[in-house]
Amino acid sequence: MTGVDAAPWPPVGSEAGRVRECVVVGVTGAPSCGEVIRRAAALAQAIGVDLVGVHVDDGRQPPVARSAVLASHRALLGSLGGRFEHLVAGDAAGALVDFARRNGATQLVVGVGADPRWVRLLRGSVVDDVLRRAGGCFDLHVVGTGARGPGLPVERPASRLPLRRRRLGWVIAVGGTTALTAVLTAARGVVGHGGHFPLYLLVVVLAALGGTGPAVSAAVLASFALNWFFTPPLHTWIIDDGENVLALAVFLVVGVLVGVLVTSLARWSDDARRGRSEAEALARVASEMVGLEDPLPAMLERIRLTLQLEGMSVRSEDGSVLAVAGTEPSSADPWRPVGPGTVRLRGAVAAHDERMFEAFLPQLAATIERQALRRDAAQLEAVAAADRLRTALLRAVSHDLRTPLASIKASVTSLLQRDVAWSNAEQHEFLDTIDQEADRLDAVVGNLLDASRLEAGVIEPAVQQVALDEVVQSALASISGLDADVVVDVPAELPTVRADRGLLERAIANLVANAGQASPAGVPIEIRAVATRSSVQLAVVDRGAGVPEDQREAIFRPFQRLGDRSAAGGVGLGLAVARGVVEAMGGRVVVEETVGGGTTMCVTLPRGDRA
């Protein structure tokens, strides 16, 4: 896994997805490594690239002293403008080279201590190992520290066989070879010389189940036993017969090859099992995200559990936190660029899980991008809705508000004329026009205010028990300029309803006014109500042209005037306000087709306590 220390969030967007050139320096935890870090920092500054310090943990518990030195090296890297990466791997040199290759390094800096030559031969040469693995991908800088101890630990890959199986291999290699030698020595003359080789080869094959080491050891021990106890001259290392020399040599080679083959098969099996686990993990993440409105938190939690991390967080390109799983990482924890954002990790990812983590990153990036697109689409929709609202408001102000004001202004101006003698009937007509247009203006302004309150979500109905027949009569009395007759069938014996009287009166008035606009001349509007076990249903019925089924929801949107026969129908807020206030009181409004033609507005309200 990677780690970052004392470094800001990386640039994201189009730059975040590209690998940036850098200088990589191996951080060992040795006290003398500080000088190696400073040399690498000077190199990075000279060529103008990033500095990355990499420490490889082989999985064994490090000494406390080394942990303290590593902390000082992390701080040193931060003060020099670099960042610290922590890798977990059994092969330190290989992990360092792989990291440098993945992250676009052009220079690799390692330190070499002043150990005796025999120590370097036993431990291995870091320079040779890194050069062999690098393959000419970048320049290698070797810094002599003058201190004892390796500049970079070179660990051989740990065996992938279980510990119990390796122990069993060693028991067979040593104990099996010894026991077989004792048995064959006791049975000398019973088992011929030609039978010794296959029996010892069987022991070597069984010991190979524990890996290369037990197999090679068994082959060597078996060769010694065959030579000393069963190859003339006995009890000497001299072999007179050349065929026996060849047989022993072939036996030793076969034993080594069998051990290597078994170990390779175990490695291939482990790789196949790991690949299958990676595929299953990716498929599980993808399947669990299906249908989720915001899949990012669930995806992050699944990745965290799969990689056994303490916590993960994802930030957008503006630095805001999009999702957190587990313990939220701090600014000193490692990060990775992922699409239009960054992912920060708390904890260590093992080197064998690095490929799985890399496979998760495109899924994370795609999810972040989809969320960004959804946010952009929502913002665009909000802007478009605001534009539509502004246009409708301008239309309302320019026409539906100015029209009654113009009528009122004309009537008042006529009454104020001194040079015209108006009759009583004419004056009454002017005053009647003023009254009607003022009521119309009041209704329009009231609907605008109610619509804005509904949009802001600040309507708080004062719900109480209300007699529906009384509210219907008050609503009819409040409507001015209604040309159609109204037939009311709302019995006084109906149960009360739970509603805000004022809001319910406005909702019914709006529904009746809308029915009046839709009804043909001379055809009455019907208002009827019935009670059910838990509610009271009120129906406002007109005999107009009706509303097509695909437009029945559209008529409840603000500033819709579908099917109005004239421009005198208001700003198109009546039905939107009616549904909004009824739903705020716990009821609902739906559109149904009137039998014989027309539209029926059905209002359902919860019952009160009166039977």
Side-chain angles (χ1 to χ4, degrees):
M1 107 139 216
T2 60
V4 176
D5 215 45
W9 288 94
V12 293
S14 60
E15 293 297 326
R18 292 199 289 265
V19 177
R20 300 181 60 183
E21 185 179 349
C22 61
V23 170
V24 173
V25 54
V27 180
T28 64
S32 59
C33 191
E35 179 60 28
V36 181
I37 295 174
R38 292 184 182 90
R39 295 280 294 274
L43 177 62
Q45 185 177 10
I47 61 179
V49 298
D50 294 340
L51 173 66
V52 183
V54 179
H55 173 70
V56 182
D57 187 352
D58 61 3
R60 299 179 176 87
Q61 185 68 26
V64 177
R66 170 166 291 196
S67 299
V69 175
L70 276 177
S72 66
H73 290 165
R74 291 165 68 105
L76 176 60
L77 276 165
S79 65
L80 296 174
R83 68 177 191 267
F84 182 82
E85 300 281 349
H86 185 183
L87 305 181
V88 179
D91 181 7
L96 179 67
V97 171
D98 289 342
F99 175 87
R101 185 180 292 112
R102 285 198 317 268
N103 288 269
T106 57
Q107 316 282 333
L108 180 58
V109 182
V110 295
V112 175
D115 290 320
R117 182 175 179 82
W118 66 270
V119 174
R120 294 198 299 272
L121 290 175
L122 290 177
R123 183 187 295 120
S125 170
V126 61
V127 178
D128 294 342
D129 207 6
V130 171
L131 274 176
R132 177 174 56 83
R133 296 170 183 267
C137 296
F138 33 72
D139 296 336
L140 178 63
H141 299 262
V142 181
V143 179
T145 62
R148 293 293 180 93
L152 179 70
V154 181
E155 302 289 348
R156 300 298 175 228
S159 173
R160 301 192 182 187
L161 297 174
L163 179 60
R164 179 180 300 178
R165 185 168 164 179
R166 283 182 278 136
R167 288 176 176 174
L168 178 62
W170 283 110
V171 170
I172 294 175
V174 178
T177 303
T178 303
L180 179 60
T181 301
V183 170
L184 292 179
T185 301
R188 190 186 303 276
V190 178
V191 180
H193 187 63
H196 297 159
F197 284 91
L199 291 176
Y200 276 106
L201 183 60
L202 177 61
V203 173
V204 173
V205 172
L206 293 176
L209 297 176
T212 304
V216 173
S217 299
V220 172
L221 290 175
S223 300
F224 288 163
L226 284 169
N227 184 23
W228 183 266
F229 292 103
F230 306 108
T231 302
L234 301 179
H235 307 300
T236 67
W237 300 116
I238 301 173
I239 303 176
D240 292 338
D241 193 345
E243 291 183 359
N244 290 335
V245 174
L246 179 61
L248 287 173
V250 171
F251 180 85
L252 181 60
V253 171
V254 169
V256 172
L257 290 179
V258 169
V260 172
L261 179 60
V262 171
T263 304
S264 299
L265 288 175
R267 183 178 299 110
W268 296 336
S269 175
D270 185 68
D271 290 340
R273 184 170 56 253
R274 191 173 305 281
R276 185 171 60 252
S277 300
E278 292 174 3
E280 291 175 354
L282 291 171
R284 185 165 53 250
V285 169
S287 62
E288 290 178 355
M289 302 307 108
V290 175
L292 295 180
E293 183 177 351
D294 183 9
L296 189 56
M299 176 180 289
L300 209 62
E301 177 64 17
R302 170 56 61 185
I303 295 174
R304 183 188 72 83
L305 293 176
T306 302
L307 300 179
Q308 299 181 351
L309 298 174
E310 295 181 31
M312 295 180 69
S313 67
V314 173
R315 296 201 177 200
S316 63
E317 54 187 347
D318 60 2
S320 59
V321 178
L322 299 178
V324 177
T327 304
E328 183 173 1
S330 66
S331 58
D333 286 316
W335 53 259
R336 288 280 186 91
V338 51
T342 48
V343 57
R344 192 172 284 275
L345 312 174
R346 186 176 184 86
V349 177
H352 58 262
D353 286 334
E354 183 70 21
R355 188 175 63 181
M356 184 183 298
F357 181 48
E358 294 289 343
F360 280 132
L361 290 181
Q363 289 195 20
L364 271 177
T367 303
I368 297 172
E369 289 173 356
R370 284 195 297 270
Q371 284 195 326
L373 290 175
R374 279 198 296 268
R375 287 195 301 270
D376 293 342
Q379 292 175 356
L380 291 175
E381 177 59 27
V383 172
D387 288 339
R388 291 194 298 270
L389 180 62
R390 181 169 59 251
T391 301
L393 286 173
L394 289 174
R395 184 185 66 189
V397 171
S398 64
H399 181 271
D400 298 290
L401 293 179
R402 292 181 63 185
T403 298
L405 285 174
S407 299
I408 294 172
K409 177 66 175 178
S411 298
V412 172
T413 301
S414 298
L415 289 174
L416 292 176
Q417 287 182 345
R418 300 297 184 182
D419 55 346
V420 179
W422 302 106
S423 64
N424 290 335
E426 290 172 331
Q427 292 181 17
H428 184 273
E429 183 179 354
F430 286 140
L431 293 174
D432 188 56
T433 299
I434 293 172
D435 182 61
Q436 291 182 9
E437 296 299 328
D439 289 340
R440 178 182 168 189
L441 183 62
D442 179 68
V444 172
V445 173
N447 280 333
L448 284 171
L449 292 176
D450 286 341
S452 65
R453 291 165 63 199
L454 286 169
E455 186 71 21
V458 296
I459 283 188
E460 296 182 2
V463 177
Q464 57 184 329
Q465 295 187 46
V466 176
L468 189 58
D469 56 325
E470 297 175 1
V471 176
V472 170
Q473 294 300 326
S474 300
L476 293 176
S478 67
I479 303 173
S480 63
L482 183 62
D483 297 331
D485 294 331
V486 181
V487 178
V488 179
D489 182 14
V490 182
E493 296 79 14
L494 280 175
T496 58
V497 296
R498 293 186 56 78
D500 182 305
R501 183 183 181 94
L503 294 178
L504 181 57
E505 181 179 312
R506 180 175 292 279
I508 295 174
N510 285 347
L511 294 176
V512 173
N514 180 78
Q517 291 294 321
S519 294
V523 179
I525 301 169
E526 299 178 27
I527 302 178
R528 51 177 181 260
V530 295
T532 65
R533 177 175 298 180
S534 60
S535 63
V536 175
Q537 296 179 349
L538 177 74
V540 179
V541 183
D542 68 60
R543 301 291 177 177
V547 179
E549 187 172 356
D550 59 346
Q551 295 184 358
R552 289 180 181 175
E553 285 300 314
I555 64 176
F556 290 105
R557 291 200 293 263
F559 304 107
Q560 298 295 320
R561 298 170 61 174
L562 301 176
D564 285 354
R565 293 177 295 138
S566 69
V571 295
L573 284 173
L575 294 181
V577 170
R579 170 177 272 191
V581 297
V582 169
E583 290 180 347
M585 294 183 293
R588 59 190 179 94
V589 179
V590 296
V591 182
E592 295 181 358
E593 183 179 357
T594 303
V595 179
T599 303
T600 299
M601 295 289 180
C602 296
V603 180
T604 302
L605 294 166
R607 285 180 55 158
D609 296 333
R610 194 179 85 183

